[in-house]
Amino acid sequence: ELAQAENYDFVVWVSTRPWTEPEEIGGDSWGGFVSDRDDLSAHIASTIGAGPKNLLVLSGDNHMVAFDDGSSTDFSGQDEFPGGFPVFHSGPLTNFGSGVKSFFAPSDHYFTDGCMAFNSE
């Protein structure tokens, strides 16, 4: 479908794993599959990045609700047509995520708009 992206208003990809996680060998996110993420990101950059830029990703299993505007999603290594795309992360909508305080330390922030959970007590 990415090769035909210009035929659509949006291409929506639903992923069961967080895309923006840092590299972690054996990790349960795309950060645990670095070469696969790099290859897929290069393909995205060569199709969507060079073309309509209409890819949206809905990703789960991140134990929070967060958004990235595409600033943290390009792992292609390409400068001419970067493959950044918006990511909407979902998880428990009424709970705090696992390790939210440490995860959103400024040195470890992987989303442009971070976690949307707050303590209502």
Side-chain angles (χ1 to χ4, degrees):
E1 294 300 319
L2 290 179
Q4 298 177 17
E6 70 277 352
N7 296 328
Y8 304 102
D9 291 332
F10 294 100
V11 176
V12 179
W13 170 32
V14 179
S15 175
T16 60
R17 300 185 186 281
W19 180 262
T20 60
E21 297 289 309
E23 184 175 326
E24 179 185 347
I25 296 173
D28 190 31
S29 71
W30 281 98
F33 304 92
V34 175
S35 63
D36 293 330
R37 179 173 63 182
D38 291 351
D39 290 347
L40 185 53
S41 193
H43 180 69
I44 290 168
S46 68
T47 55
I48 299 291
K53 296 178 178 57
N54 60 352
L55 176 64
L56 301 172
V57 175
L58 175 61
S59 182
D61 195 29
N62 217 10
H63 303 260
M64 68 179 146
V65 175
F67 170 74
D68 185 86
D69 63 4
S71 300
S72 306
T73 59
D74 182 21
F75 296 91
S76 70
Q78 298 181 26
D79 293 327
E80 186 175 354
F81 298 113
F85 48 84
V87 173
F88 301 89
H89 273 284
S90 182
L93 299 178
T94 60
N95 300 4
F96 283 102
S98 311
V100 167
K101 288 183 181 178
S102 63
F103 185 79
F104 286 104
S107 62
D108 294 332
H109 192 276
Y110 304 112
F111 301 100
T112 54
D113 286 297
C115 182
M116 302 306 169
F118 62 93
N119 189 346
S120 61
E121 294 181 21

